[in-house]
Structure formats: C-alpha cells, structure tokens
Amino acid sequence: MNTINKRLAALRAAMKTKGLAAYIIPSTDPHQSEYVNDYWKIRTHFSGFTGSAGTLVVTQNEVALWVDSRYFLQVTKQCKDSDVTLFKQSIPHAPEHIPWLCDVLENNDIVGVDYRQFSKSQIDYLAENAKAKNIKIKNDEALIDAIWEDRPQLPTNQVVHQPILFSGESTQDKLQKIQANINKEQADFYLISSLDEIAWLYNIRANDVDFTPLVISYALVGKTESYLFCNKNRFDDTLLKTLKDDHIIVLEYDALTEKLPTITSEKTIITDPSSLNYSCFDAIKGTFIYQNSLVKELKAIKNEVEIANAKKCMEKDGVAMTQFFMWLESEIQQREISEYEIGRKLDGFRQKQANYKGESFSAIVSYKNNGAIIHYTAPKEGSAMVKNDGLLLIDSGAQYQNGTTDVTRTVFLGKTATADEKKSFTLVLKGYITLETIQFPKGTVGMQLDSFSRMHLWKQGLNFGHGTGHGIGSYGMVHEDAQGFATSMTTSRGSEVHKENQFTTIEPGFYKEGAYGIRTENVVISYIKQTTSYGDFIGFEPITLFPIDTRLIDFNLMSPEEMDWLNSYHKKVYNTLSPMLNAAEKEWLLDKCKETSN
Amino acid sequence: MNTINKRLAALRAAMKTKGLAAYIIPSTDPHQSEYVNDYWKIRTHFSGFTGSAGTLVVTQNEVALWVDSRYFLQVTKQCKDSDVTLFKQSIPHAPEHIPWLCDVLENNDIVGVDYRQFSKSQIDYLAENAKAKNIKIKNDEALIDAIWEDRPQLPTNQVVHQPILFSGESTQDKLQKIQANINKEQADFYLISSLDEIAWLYNIRANDVDFTPLVISYALVGKTESYLFCNKNRFDDTLLKTLKDDHIIVLEYDALTEKLPTITSEKTIITDPSSLNYSCFDAIKGTFIYQNSLVKELKAIKNEVEIANAKKCMEKDGVAMTQFFMWLESEIQQREISEYEIGRKLDGFRQKQANYKGESFSAIVSYKNNGAIIHYTAPKEGSAMVKNDGLLLIDSGAQYQNGTTDVTRTVFLGKTATADEKKSFTLVLKGYITLETIQFPKGTVGMQLDSFSRMHLWKQGLNFGHGTGHGIGSYGMVHEDAQGFATSMTTSRGSEVHKENQFTTIEPGFYKEGAYGIRTENVVISYIKQTTSYGDFIGFEPITLFPIDTRLIDFNLMSPEEMDWLNSYHKKVYNTLSPMLNAAEKEWLLDKCKETSN
C-alpha cells in the first residue's frame, strides 16, 4: 500500500473508533496561518499535496481534496498514486466542501475537527450547513497526534525584537491604538490569534513558520497590562525587559486555555471571529464583541519608515535579480540548468544582500509547459532542464529584516519568441500597465479594479485563473489578508478598500496548458494621486525594480501611453539600480532598460 | 403651518395614540414596486419629496428622509419649507436608516410599519438591528388610512392580454418551467408578489402604476391549478377564458390574506423572501422554501420574439427622436422653450408611433445647471426656459406594446461648446464605448464591469454618483431588478451575472453642480461574442438608434478604436432609420451621422 493510503487507513480506523463519519483537515494552524509550521502540516501528511491552500475531507468512502484552479494540475500529479481525489473549488478559499460534505453524510452523522484549526466563522458555517441533517460536530484535538508517527515538534528558536528603525512605530504607540478601541467599546481585552498581527503589534519576529518571520503565540491586549502567550525560554533578557517596559506579561503558549478563563472571567473581549480559533472561543467564558480586526487594518497602512525601508529592499532585490539574470543569460549558453538549481542560484544572489533573512515563499521557477502550472514548485530531484530556448517564469521573493519582496518576471531564452508568445506576453503586460496606471476614488474595492488587468486578454477570448494581487507585509507575510485585486468579494482582496500607503502586488498572468505560463508582477505602493471636488483619487507607484523582457513585447499591440510607461519604468529601474552595480552589470542592465519604440 | 408639517403633526399624533416611537415609510407598495400607484404614495404625501427612491423615518424628534446621492439636490429643494431633514445614504437602496433608527430609539421602544410595504428580508433586518435594545416592531395597516384625507383609490382599469406575437412565450410554457421547479423542490406552490413577474408570467398588462403596464395582483402557481388575485371585474370574458384555459383561477385582490391560509394549509410554498411582502408571509401557515426568484431569472433572458420586437421599438423610438430633435434644433432658433414643453413635445412625437402606450418613466429634460440634478423632473409650471445656448440633457423612454425604451442624449445648443464641456462629454462617451465594446467571460457580474465606464473620468479626478446601467423589460419595467452595472454588490445591478440575450442600459454620466449634466445612454443586447478554450465571452450590441452629438466631442481625446466605434454606430443609425424618414428628416439625420475623424 502506498504511504499516503496507509496513513489514510490509520486515520479512518481512528475515525471509526471515535464514531466519526468524516474528518476535516484544513491547511492551516491554530492561527489561521497561510504557511504553517511542520507540526501543523497535517493535510500534506495525509494527502501528499504540498500546496499552500486546500482542504482534505475524509469519509469512509471518499478522500476529497478541495483546491482551487491554481492547484488542479499539482494535485493531479502529487496525488496520482493514492486514493486522494481532486475536488475543484470554483472560488479560491470558499468553503465549498462544507455543503458537499453535508450532502454526502447521513442524518445524525458526526464530523470530527480540531477546533484549533477552525475560526469561529468557519465552525458557525459548518454548523449552519449541518443543521438540516442534524449532523454533529465533534472537537478532537488528540486524534492526529495519536496516529501521526514522528510528528515534528513545535519550534523553540529565539524570538527577536524588530527595532523601530525598521518597524517605524513603537509597541507602546501601537498598543495605545488598540487600547483606545478597547475603551471606546467599553471592553476589557482585545484577543489576537493571527501570528502576523501579533508580530506587528508587539514588534517581534522569529522563524516559526516557513517563509515568514512569525512567532507562534497568542496576544491578549488589556487596558494597561497585556499578555503574550509564548514559551518564555525563547526570549533573551533584553527582549523580556523591552516587553515588560511595554507592560506585556509573557506566559507559556500551552497555558492559554488554562489562563484565559481566569483572566477574562466576567470581562468583555473584542476579537475578530474570522481569525480567532474556535478552541479559544470555546475556552473563554466572558462576553465577546466581534469586530473586523483593527490590527489588520492598521498593519495594512504602512508608515514612512516602513515605506522607506521597503524601497531600500526593492533596490537590494533588484540588484540581486540583475546579477542573477545576467548570470543566467550567460550560463544558459554553456549548459542546461535545472529549474531547481536556478531557484537556488537566485536565492544565492539575494543572500549576499544586507539584512537578508530567507525566501518569502517557495520560489516558482517554471520552464515552458511547467509555467502553466500556476503554483508550480520545482522538485529538488528531477526538475525540468532549462535550455536556451522558450519561456521561463520566475516568481520569487525574499524576507529582509527591513522588508518583504515578491516579484515575477517571464523571460525569453534563445533567439526569437514566437508571435503567439509575444502576443500573450504583451496582453499580460498591457493588463499590468492598465491596472497600475489607473486612479480611482477612495472607497473603491479590489473587485472593482481587478478587471482592468484582464480586459486586454478578455478581448482576445483569454483569461487567467487567479486573483491579480495581494497586500504584502513589512518583514511580514508575503500574502497579507488585506486589500488586493480579485474577481469576487469572498476574499479581502476583492472586498477591501484600497487606501493610501499600502503595498500591493499587481500580477496578471496567462497560462497555456502544455505550452507556457506568463506572469508579470511588481509590488506597488498606493498614494493619493489627485484630490478634486470629486474626492481623493488613489493611484499606484511601482517599487519593484527590474526590467520587463522587451524581446517578448509585440510593440504593434502597445499604445503610445503604454510605450511611455515602459520607457519611463525602465529609466527608473536603471537610474535607481546602476549606482549599486559594477561596470559589467551596469552595461548589462543598460541594455535591458534601453528605450524602445513601436 | 406648512401642509407637509400639518400632515406630519397628524402622523405624530396618531403614532402617540398607538404608542409608536417611530414610523417607517418606504417608497414602495405591497409588491416592492419601483413606481407605485397613487394609493401607495405615502412617502410623498408626508414629505413632499417626489423622487422614486427614499425612505421617510418619523420619530417625535426627527423627520429623516433617507435618499442616495441622486436625490440630494432634489430633497433640498422639495423639502426646504418643512421639517423634513435630508439624510444621505452612501449606498443606493441600502437600508442605512435602520441602524440609525435603532441607535436614536430608546430601549423597549416600538417601531410602527405597514407589513405590506416590507419584504421578509427587510423585516428580518429590522428585527436583527432592533434586538439589542429590545425594540419592538408593530404592524399597523390602518394607521395611514385613518389620517390621509382624500387618499386615492386603487385602480379599476381593464386588464389586457399580452399576445404571443409580442411575448414570444405562452403562459402555459412559462408556467411549466415554474411547475418543474415546484416538483423538483417537492413543493406545492410558488407565490409571487412582484407585479412585473406576474405580468410576465401570466402575459397580462394594465396601467395600475405610473409608467409601467402592470396589474396590481398576486400570483400563486400550483402544480396544476394556479391563482391570480385581482378583481374579476377588471377582466373581459375573452381574457377570463384565456386564463381559465391555462388553469388560472381569478380571485379578488383583497381576498388574498383570507384565501391563502386555506389554499396553502399544510402545503409547501416556494417564494423569494426579498420580494414577498411580510403581510403575506405572516398570513401563510404552510412551510416555506426560500429561493431567489426563478421568474426574475427567466424574465431577464429575452426570447427571440422579444428581441425582434425590441429592435423594432428602438427603430420607432429613433424615428421619434429624429423628428423631435430636428424640430427642437429649428424651433430653438425662434424662441425659448420650457423644459416641460420640450418633454411633452418629445412624447408627442413618440405618440405617433405604432403600439405607443405611454412614457416608460418621467422624462428628464434638464437644461444647463438643472442637468446636474441627476433625477430632475421639470415642473409643469415654471421650469427653466431653454435657449439656443449650452447643454441640454434628455433622458426619456416609452412603453410600446412590443417593447420598452430608455435613451439619454446630451446635446449642445448654440454655436460652440466650451473646451470644458467637450472634455467632459468626451470622457463620458469614452466610458460608454469602453464598457459597450468590452467582452468578458460568462460568470462576470456587473460590479466587475462598472469601472470600465468610469476609468476615463477617474483619470481626470472626476466621477459620477449613480450606477452605470440596469436591465430593462419587454413592455415591462424600465428598471428591471436584474443584471446591470454598479459599484457595489448590494444591488442586483452589481451582483448579477451578465448572460446572453439580456437587455441592459449603459449610461455613464458626469455632473458639474451649478453648471451642467451629461449622460449618454443606449440599451444594449448581450450575446456570446466569442467561445474559446477559456470559455464563452459575452459582449454587447447597442440597439438604441440615435446619433451622439459630435459637436460635443473633443476628437483629440478619442482613440482610433473609439473613432471607429463612433463612425460605425452612426452608419448603423442612419442605415436603419433612414428608410422610415421623409426627405428632410433623412437629410438632417445624414448630417448628424456623417463620418468624422480626428
């Protein structure tokens, strides 16, 4: 029996013992994190699927892996030898498996979950769907532990302070904003379980999850005293003192459910039901006030220091990208290089930059037809060999202590791109430019803007199957749960208003199955571009600095305004990066940034 | 005391007697109609505000009239002498007055309503907001009758059959679709209270409400026998026989709440909670299945006969518009003409067309600064005198037995428009063209498309304060509660998917307070423009036929594609209309449609 099927058999046996007709395994941890610590990679353990989003629903008859279109091909590949079946979500992140599950279950069946992996909203939604058939939900926080042999341990690495030099705002000032809200709502506490919100609020960082400098913890902000639930031995004395000065008491991570009832007894607690895990919710006996997360809202607006640092990061990233692509262009003339090696090499150039902390996500280096697999990861062994021919898509980014980067470039290797490749690339580029150069009244949400990135593809009967952008953190999460661009209101990317001083990616793409993938992505900063009697109008400025491959542009399809954009962007890239480059690099970049016309 | 204040004093006295702290008066009738019979013009009676959308909330301290930005100026004018206070809704049709009311009321207060004027969803929303303060909702269907002297009577005019020649689908075929749904849901009845849905389903028409050929009635569709609640003396024998042949039993309108409990006792009834009035809901003792209205969905897709008829209507309307504008252009050289007279004259030209039944809404003829009042109505006495100078906006439409029209043109009178006027007009036109020529994948909703009509204005720091279009009926409602273009998902115009064979208006505008208003509007029909491996792509074809005033176009702002659109649209207008025109009219139209270049 294949390993995955063996694990599934053990899970089903345990479910039977416990009387569970179904068990739901989301991809998240108790903090609703996108990237999770190995301890919480339960879904990967039981399905073999390594993608970042997807839910596994196991019954005695079905092993249903629900993923959105980004992962269809990946699931097909990774799950082909096991009993895991691909279930296609039509809307990313929508809980489409819930109505399905309630449909396949019988009356009075019991669904098992680990409350820690679900938000209050998610459990409420499950309960609502389960009502008609009187399906019961049972919390079992021990089931997985019992059947997962050699389960990894939770992290013990050192927690570090993020200095004001990079954060731009003291913990005290941040806490004051939360405390003002507590007072306004006549509440006593503000409870946070999102790791990136805690990292931002308390100005702390660690390496607890992949690609993101987060600290596995809970934060309980009080009117004067606040708490951080995180093992004390992970802090040095200096940081403990810093926290103490900010009236933050450090308690053990595991003590949360024991301490919460006492601390919050007969108190009023503000929390965001979309992120608070249901185990916490269940433990608290006080009164709740539900609010959209204030921390998320504050964090999404970057301060001047964060903005200045982000710009510096983008320069470092641009230098690394220049050195890398210069190396690639030369090396590929000599030999075939694997996608995997290319990814490592790019990271190698970034590592030489100051304040480098690691990749901000698993880099996507996808050659030719692999490019059409939207969230492709080149395996360490046996990844495709890249030749000096065809399209190569590289989506990558890094964590620096002063910022987070995320950039995609599609480049042409070889002599001449085909007319079809050029047309597709140009339509994507036009979509990027249209969205990046638009300005719109304050109050506009991502769903109203997303179509600008698609209109040129749509006109040719083409489209792409992912959102067009996301918020990005400041030495934080590469995908912030904040503003962005999406085709629906079911994610914050579609539903959130764009405000000034936010970092957002713009990343339209086009994917031709079996042939190639194209994506062009910059991080942009939003600002008030114009104020008239019709209000404030927000616009974007790109802060990512690396040239677009002009050999892939069909200049006949470009409008004069689009040509102006291209030349002015390239001028900015060259002028900003060249002082940091050596003579050869300068010359190489100058050629890539040279003025073009149609 | 002013008349409105006297009426309000009587209302407050009655509220006091009945123990009501507040009374809510929406603008609608028991059928959630947009235009209502005089009998139901309660909000106008107690506020003086004649606009089509707005809610009056009366407490002992406040007379709050909640309207959206379309009506801000109108309310200021119409309510300036009374105690009525303008409350600005930020989102059209959103029930923003409910949280406000629950905020100003005290614990245990009672809010009075007439259940017939509220849908189940609306009462549910009110109840949800009222819970925190234990505010009670009291139904009083007699309060208004007691204090409104000389209240108009409900209509008694003849109900007529809409023949298949125009409807394109027999009542029997339509009923079968509803009955299939009843069977599928294992239900017994389908209850409809929306007048336009009943008119469509039963193929009947009358003149019960302003501008719309509807019959005040309720429909209860059964598996074999169906009911129409409408006074029998309003039907002739032929129509009664037609209905009988379709197994439709006619019962008195007022008998509904008496008959419903008997007919539906222990039965299962499908209904749309967003349109069913709460009085009906309250009367039924059976089991409900809530569904988005299937009739609404079916009705929004036009059949071939309706499409062919609509095109004929647009030709007739185009001829009337040609004759009218030709008259106006000549007459305005001789004398000043009032806005009101212009509106009547335009209607006069339409009246000469076959199958003319009346205006489809109160025509907006707004000169210069009046144009900035988005839903302006020129009063019979004392409307502005139009001279041969400046901008004139005319938004008008008609009901023909074979279709409904709605068209807006802004024309320049006099010698030369200013650069500012031309720029504004051109930006609006570019928005119209961008939205009309886009194609988009099936599944796209109005909110994803609306921004295309605004992007050119946005780029100049400009915007307009209304949605960009709405569904339109087939000898039915000029504003169908269906697909359209809007900036939010709170109305069907933003949230509904565009499908093939729908009629929708595209009508971007721009309004400069104190100066002018500009709007350009055509009805378009949607169709599958392209099918690729990326799916079906929907596009639009304009069916309204009347030239755009080229004297208002700044050709420097037009792209080559936009110029092509303009010339090809004008060619189509001339070629289609000219065979129906006399020599002088032809010549006039030829000049208006002549090819232009930049």
Side-chain angles (χ1 to χ4, degrees):
Chain A
M1 206 193 286
N2 129 320
T3 315
I4 297 297
N5 285 350
K6 261 187 221 160
R7 291 173 185 168
L8 287 166
L11 173 59
R12 277 175 167 156
M15 284 163 57
K16 227 170 205 165
T17 313
K18 304 228 175 184
L20 306 178
Y23 191 79
I24 307 177
I25 309 178
S27 53
T28 193
D29 66 3
H31 311 280
Q32 295 278 316
S33 306
E34 180 183 4
Y35 296 111
V36 302
N37 183 273
D38 288 348
Y39 181 86
W40 286 106
K41 288 180 182 164
I42 310 174
R43 197 217 54 223
T44 301
H45 184 74
F46 287 98
S47 70
F49 167 59
T50 58
S52 62
T55 301
L56 188 69
V57 183
V58 181
T59 69
Q60 293 300 338
N61 304 316
E62 302 260 17
V63 188
L65 179 57
W66 289 80
V67 296
D68 65 69
S69 61
R70 293 176 296 175
Y71 300 107
F72 292 169
L73 292 175
Q74 185 177 346
V75 168
T76 309
K77 273 193 178 178
Q78 294 187 321
C79 304
K80 71 175 187 318
D81 298 325
S82 74
D83 292 342
V84 175
T85 311
L86 166 65
F87 276 70
K88 296 181 175 184
Q89 270 179 308
S90 53
I91 298 167
H93 308 286
E96 295 168 18
H97 54 283
I98 298 294
W100 170 83
L101 176 63
C102 293
D103 193 46
V104 301
L105 289 181
E106 305 283 326
N107 284 344
N108 307 312
D109 270 353
I110 303 173
V111 176
V113 293
D114 181 337
Y115 271 173
R116 293 172 296 176
Q117 290 187 286
F118 292 81
S119 71
K120 168 154 168 48
S121 312
Q122 288 164 342
I123 291 291
D124 286 348
Y125 182 71
L126 173 57
E128 195 188 306
N129 277 270
K131 213 166 26 180
K133 283 189 177 171
N134 194 33
I135 292 163
K136 283 170 206 69
I137 304 162
K138 196 176 163 199
N139 179 35
D140 194 326
E141 302 186 4
L143 186 141
I144 297 298
D145 245 0
I147 56 171
W148 185 349
E149 288 169 31
D150 304 322
R151 186 177 186 175
Q153 292 304 299
L154 280 172
T156 55
N157 71 86
Q158 206 67 9
V159 177
V160 297
H161 181 56
Q162 175 74 340
I164 195 149
L165 163 76
F166 299 134
S167 71
E169 189 175 8
S170 71
T171 305
Q172 210 180 0
D173 287 349
K174 290 177 180 177
L175 281 173
Q176 267 175 18
K177 291 176 183 167
I178 308 302
Q179 284 157 346
N181 182 46
I182 295 173
N183 291 327
K184 191 184 136 222
E185 299 289 339
Q186 299 182 297
D188 302 289
F189 288 106
Y190 195 102
L191 177 61
I192 309 167
S193 63
S194 281
L195 303 187
D196 68 317
E197 296 184 18
I198 298 168
W200 177 86
L201 180 62
Y202 285 172
N203 287 319
I204 52 173
R205 300 289 191 276
N207 295 311
D208 294 4
V209 303
D210 292 348
F211 309 116
T212 325
L214 304 180
V215 186
I216 293 184
S217 57
Y218 292 93
L220 184 69
V221 179
K223 289 178 181 180
T224 48
E225 284 193 331
S226 299
Y227 300 89
L228 174 63
F229 292 86
C230 182
N231 297 350
K232 221 170 182 166
N233 57 16
R234 299 185 58 191
F235 299 79
D236 66 17
D237 291 346
T238 318
L239 182 47
L240 280 178
K241 182 166 182 312
T242 306
L243 291 167
K244 202 182 164 192
D245 289 347
D246 289 331
H247 308 283
I248 298 166
I249 298 161
V250 179
L251 299 172
E252 295 299 286
Y253 180 67
D254 283 340
L256 180 84
T257 43
E258 179 204 328
K259 295 278 184 185
L260 267 189
T262 325
I263 301 175
T264 63
S265 162
E266 292 183 36
K267 302 287 185 188
T268 301
I269 301 102
I270 303 174
T271 199
D272 182 340
S274 72
S275 66
L276 185 68
N277 79 53
Y278 203 81
S279 186
C280 279
F281 170 79
D282 208 39
I284 285 180
K285 301 302 165 207
T287 310
F288 279 105
I289 293 177
Y290 296 126
Q291 258 186 11
N292 290 330
S293 170
L294 174 63
V295 178
K296 195 191 286 177
E297 199 184 311
L298 295 170
K299 185 167 58 69
I301 310 282
K302 269 64 178 178
N303 62 46
E304 279 177 28
V305 174
E306 288 173 312
I307 292 171
N309 274 294
K311 288 185 175 173
K312 275 186 221 159
C313 277
M314 297 294 167
E315 293 171 12
K316 292 185 285 186
D317 222 51
V319 168
M321 293 269 286
T322 301
Q323 292 165 340
F324 161 75
F325 274 104
M326 193 176 151
W327 167 84
L328 178 66
E329 205 176 87
S330 149
E331 192 77 1
I332 203 74
Q333 318 276 349
Q334 319 299 322
R335 64 175 177 109
E336 298 183 3
I337 318 169
S338 77
E339 294 169 327
Y340 183 81
E341 186 188 342
I342 287 174
R344 294 311 87 219
K345 191 76 188 179
L346 171 54
D347 188 45
F349 282 107
R350 283 200 169 105
Q351 285 178 26
K352 294 186 211 158
Q353 295 297 323
N355 297 316
Y356 173 89
K357 294 289 178 182
E359 292 181 282
S360 60
F361 58 99
S362 181
I364 299 168
V365 180
S366 50
Y367 183 50
K368 287 190 169 175
N369 55 319
N370 286 339
I373 306 170
I374 298 179
H375 275 218
Y376 176 78
T377 310
K380 194 166 180 175
E381 304 294 334
S383 69
M385 294 308 289
V386 178
K387 295 176 199 157
N388 192 27
D389 166 47
L391 291 182
L392 178 66
L393 184 160
I394 303 183
D395 185 354
S396 68
Q399 296 287 359
Y400 300 93
Q401 203 187 349
N402 55 340
T404 306
T405 65
D406 182 1
V407 53
T408 310
R409 286 295 181 270
T410 307
V411 296
F412 181 72
L413 303 173
K415 282 191 183 140
T416 322
T418 67
D420 172 68
E421 287 166 341
K422 286 171 105 171
K423 181 181 162 193
S424 299
F425 184 89
T426 309
L427 294 174
V428 170
L429 178 61
K430 285 166 75 78
Y432 170 86
I433 297 172
T434 304
L435 180 52
E436 194 235 79
T437 55
I438 196 73
Q439 67 174 35
F440 51 86
K442 218 170 174 174
T444 302
V445 303
M447 187 178 169
Q448 292 173 268
L449 301 171
D450 178 88
S451 303
F452 288 124
S453 72
R454 300 176 194 271
M455 60 186 291
H456 306 284
L457 286 163
W458 284 355
K459 281 185 180 174
Q460 307 291 328
L462 309 174
N463 200 5
F464 59 93
H466 57 77
T468 312
H470 52 82
I472 177 168
S474 185
Y475 190 32
M477 305 222 326
V478 73
H479 299 137
E480 280 201 334
D481 180 18
Q483 84 292 342
F485 310 103
T487 56
S488 89
M489 298 287 271
T490 55
T491 70
S492 58
R493 296 169 194 185
S495 66
E496 286 291 313
V497 161
H498 282 263
K499 297 175 185 159
E500 62 269 34
N501 298 330
Q502 294 183 318
F503 300 157
T504 315
T505 67
I506 296 181
E507 46 179 313
F510 176 69
Y511 309 93
K512 195 166 184 171
E513 209 180 315
Y516 57 80
I518 289 165
R519 189 160 62 250
T520 297
E521 173 189 26
N522 280 344
V523 175
V524 297
I525 179 167
S526 51
Y527 66 106
I528 297 181
K529 219 166 165 178
Q530 194 179 7
T531 299
T532 70
S533 58
Y534 295 83
D536 288 337
F537 287 77
I538 309 272
F540 301 120
E541 183 205 334
I543 55 175
T544 298
L545 297 165
F546 190 73
I548 310 288
D549 191 347
T550 52
R551 296 191 310 157
L552 276 168
I553 297 175
D554 179 345
F555 290 107
N556 295 320
L557 300 177
M558 297 281 280
S559 73
E561 294 77 17
E562 287 160 354
M563 289 304 300
D564 286 348
W565 179 89
L566 185 71
N567 287 319
S568 114
Y569 177 68
H570 279 165
K571 199 169 167 183
K572 176 177 162 179
V573 169
Y574 181 76
N575 290 344
T576 316
L577 296 186
S578 57
M580 284 165 277
L581 302 174
N582 69 28
E585 291 159 357
K586 255 188 220 178
E587 191 187 345
W588 184 87
L589 188 65
L590 186 61
D591 178 57
K592 299 295 172 193
C593 292
K594 69 171 182 279
E595 193 163 319
T596 49
S597 59
N598 58 356
Chain B
M1 207 193 284
N2 130 318
T3 315
I4 296 298
N5 284 350
K6 261 186 219 158
R7 290 171 185 170
L8 287 167
L11 173 59
R12 278 175 167 158
M15 285 162 58
K16 227 171 206 165
T17 313
K18 305 226 174 183
L20 306 177
Y23 191 80
I24 306 177
I25 309 178
S27 53
T28 193
D29 65 3
H31 310 281
Q32 295 278 316
S33 306
E34 180 184 5
Y35 296 110
V36 302
N37 184 273
D38 288 347
Y39 181 85
W40 287 105
K41 288 180 182 164
I42 309 175
R43 197 217 54 223
T44 301
H45 183 74
F46 286 99
S47 70
F49 166 60
T50 57
S52 61
T55 301
L56 188 69
V57 183
V58 181
T59 69
Q60 293 300 338
N61 304 316
E62 301 261 17
V63 188
L65 180 57
W66 288 79
V67 296
D68 65 67
S69 61
R70 292 176 296 175
Y71 299 108
F72 292 168
L73 290 176
Q74 186 177 346
V75 168
T76 308
K77 271 192 181 179
Q78 294 187 322
C79 303
K80 71 176 186 319
D81 298 326
S82 75
D83 292 343
V84 176
T85 310
L86 167 64
F87 276 68
K88 295 180 174 183
Q89 272 179 308
S90 52
I91 299 168
H93 308 287
E96 295 169 16
H97 54 283
I98 299 292
W100 170 84
L101 176 62
C102 293
D103 193 48
V104 300
L105 290 180
E106 305 284 326
N107 284 343
N108 308 310
D109 270 352
I110 303 172
V111 177
V113 294
D114 182 336
Y115 270 172
R116 293 171 297 176
Q117 291 188 287
F118 292 81
S119 71
K120 168 154 168 46
S121 313
Q122 289 165 340
I123 291 290
D124 286 349
Y125 182 72
L126 173 57
E128 195 188 309
N129 277 271
K131 213 165 28 179
K133 284 192 177 170
N134 195 34
I135 292 164
K136 284 169 204 73
I137 304 164
K138 196 176 164 197
N139 179 35
D140 194 324
E141 301 186 4
L143 185 142
I144 296 297
D145 245 0
I147 56 170
W148 185 348
E149 288 170 31
D150 303 322
R151 185 176 187 175
Q153 293 301 301
L154 280 171
T156 56
N157 72 86
Q158 207 66 9
V159 177
V160 298
H161 182 56
Q162 176 74 340
I164 195 149
L165 163 76
F166 299 134
S167 71
E169 188 175 8
S170 71
T171 304
Q172 213 181 355
D173 287 349
K174 291 178 180 178
L175 280 173
Q176 267 173 17
K177 291 176 184 168
I178 308 303
Q179 283 156 347
N181 182 47
I182 294 173
N183 291 327
K184 191 184 137 225
E185 299 289 338
Q186 300 183 296
D188 302 287
F189 289 105
Y190 196 102
L191 177 60
I192 308 166
S193 64
S194 281
L195 303 187
D196 69 317
E197 295 185 17
I198 298 168
W200 178 87
L201 180 64
Y202 286 171
N203 287 319
I204 53 173
R205 298 290 191 275
N207 295 311
D208 293 5
V209 304
D210 293 347
F211 308 116
T212 326
L214 304 180
V215 186
I216 293 185
S217 58
Y218 292 93
L220 184 69
V221 179
K223 290 176 179 181
T224 48
E225 283 193 332
S226 299
Y227 299 89
L228 174 63
F229 291 88
C230 182
N231 297 350
K232 220 170 183 166
N233 58 16
R234 300 185 57 191
F235 298 80
D236 66 18
D237 291 347
T238 319
L239 182 48
L240 280 176
K241 184 166 181 314
T242 306
L243 291 168
K244 203 181 164 192
D245 290 346
D246 288 330
H247 307 284
I248 297 166
I249 298 162
V250 179
L251 299 172
E252 295 299 288
Y253 180 69
D254 283 339
L256 180 83
T257 43
E258 178 204 327
K259 296 279 184 184
L260 266 189
T262 324
I263 302 174
T264 64
S265 164
E266 291 182 38
K267 303 288 186 187
T268 300
I269 302 102
I270 304 173
T271 199
D272 182 341
S274 72
S275 66
L276 185 68
N277 79 54
Y278 203 82
S279 186
C280 280
F281 171 78
D282 207 40
I284 285 179
K285 302 301 166 207
T287 310
F288 280 104
I289 293 176
Y290 296 125
Q291 257 186 10
N292 289 332
S293 170
L294 173 63
V295 177
K296 196 193 284 179
E297 198 185 311
L298 295 170
K299 183 166 60 70
I301 311 282
K302 269 63 179 181
N303 61 46
E304 281 176 27
V305 174
E306 289 173 313
I307 292 171
N309 274 293
K311 288 185 175 174
K312 276 186 218 159
C313 276
M314 296 295 167
E315 293 171 11
K316 292 185 287 184
D317 223 50
V319 168
M321 291 269 285
T322 301
Q323 292 164 341
F324 160 75
F325 273 104
M326 192 176 152
W327 167 83
L328 178 66
E329 205 175 87
S330 148
E331 191 78 1
I332 202 72
Q333 317 276 347
Q334 319 300 322
R335 64 177 177 107
E336 297 183 2
I337 319 170
S338 77
E339 295 168 326
Y340 183 82
E341 187 188 341
I342 288 174
R344 293 312 86 219
K345 191 77 190 181
L346 170 54
D347 188 45
F349 282 107
R350 284 200 168 104
Q351 284 179 25
K352 292 186 209 158
Q353 296 297 322
N355 296 316
Y356 173 89
K357 293 289 178 182
E359 293 180 281
S360 60
F361 58 98
S362 181
I364 298 168
V365 179
S366 50
Y367 183 51
K368 287 190 169 176
N369 56 319
N370 286 339
I373 306 169
I374 298 179
H375 275 218
Y376 176 78
T377 311
K380 193 166 181 177
E381 304 295 334
S383 69
M385 294 307 290
V386 178
K387 295 178 199 157
N388 194 26
D389 167 47
L391 291 181
L392 178 66
L393 184 161
I394 303 183
D395 185 354
S396 68
Q399 296 287 0
Y400 300 93
Q401 204 187 349
N402 55 341
T404 305
T405 65
D406 182 1
V407 52
T408 309
R409 287 295 182 270
T410 306
V411 295
F412 181 72
L413 303 172
K415 282 190 183 140
T416 321
T418 67
D420 172 69
E421 287 165 341
K422 286 171 105 170
K423 181 181 163 194
S424 300
F425 184 89
T426 309
L427 294 173
V428 170
L429 178 61
K430 285 167 75 80
Y432 170 87
I433 297 171
T434 304
L435 181 53
E436 194 234 78
T437 55
I438 194 75
Q439 68 174 35
F440 50 87
K442 219 169 172 172
T444 302
V445 303
M447 188 179 166
Q448 292 174 267
L449 301 171
D450 178 88
S451 304
F452 288 124
S453 71
R454 299 175 196 272
M455 60 187 292
H456 307 283
L457 286 164
W458 284 355
K459 281 184 180 174
Q460 306 292 327
L462 309 174
N463 198 5
F464 59 93
H466 57 77
T468 312
H470 52 83
I472 177 167
S474 185
Y475 190 32
M477 305 222 326
V478 73
H479 300 135
E480 280 201 333
D481 181 17
Q483 84 292 341
F485 310 102
T487 56
S488 90
M489 298 288 271
T490 57
T491 71
S492 58
R493 296 170 193 183
S495 65
E496 286 291 312
V497 161
H498 282 264
K499 298 175 183 159
E500 62 270 34
N501 298 330
Q502 294 183 320
F503 300 157
T504 316
T505 66
I506 296 182
E507 46 179 314
F510 176 68
Y511 309 93
K512 195 166 185 171
E513 208 179 317
Y516 58 78
I518 290 165
R519 190 160 60 250
T520 296
E521 174 188 25
N522 280 345
V523 175
V524 297
I525 179 168
S526 51
Y527 66 106
I528 297 181
K529 219 166 163 177
Q530 194 180 6
T531 298
T532 70
S533 58
Y534 295 83
D536 289 336
F537 287 78
I538 309 271
F540 301 119
E541 182 205 336
I543 55 174
T544 297
L545 297 164
F546 190 74
I548 310 287
D549 190 346
T550 51
R551 296 190 308 156
L552 276 168
I553 298 175
D554 179 345
F555 290 106
N556 295 320
L557 300 176
M558 297 280 281
S559 73
E561 294 77 18
E562 287 160 352
M563 289 305 299
D564 286 348
W565 178 90
L566 185 72
N567 287 320
S568 114
Y569 177 68
H570 278 166
K571 199 169 167 182
K572 175 177 163 179
V573 169
Y574 181 77
N575 290 344
T576 316
L577 296 186
S578 56
M580 284 167 276
L581 302 175
N582 69 28
E585 290 160 356
K586 256 189 219 178
E587 192 186 344
W588 184 88
L589 188 64
L590 186 61
D591 178 58
K592 299 295 171 194
C593 292
K594 69 171 182 282
E595 193 162 318
T596 48
S597 61
N598 56 356

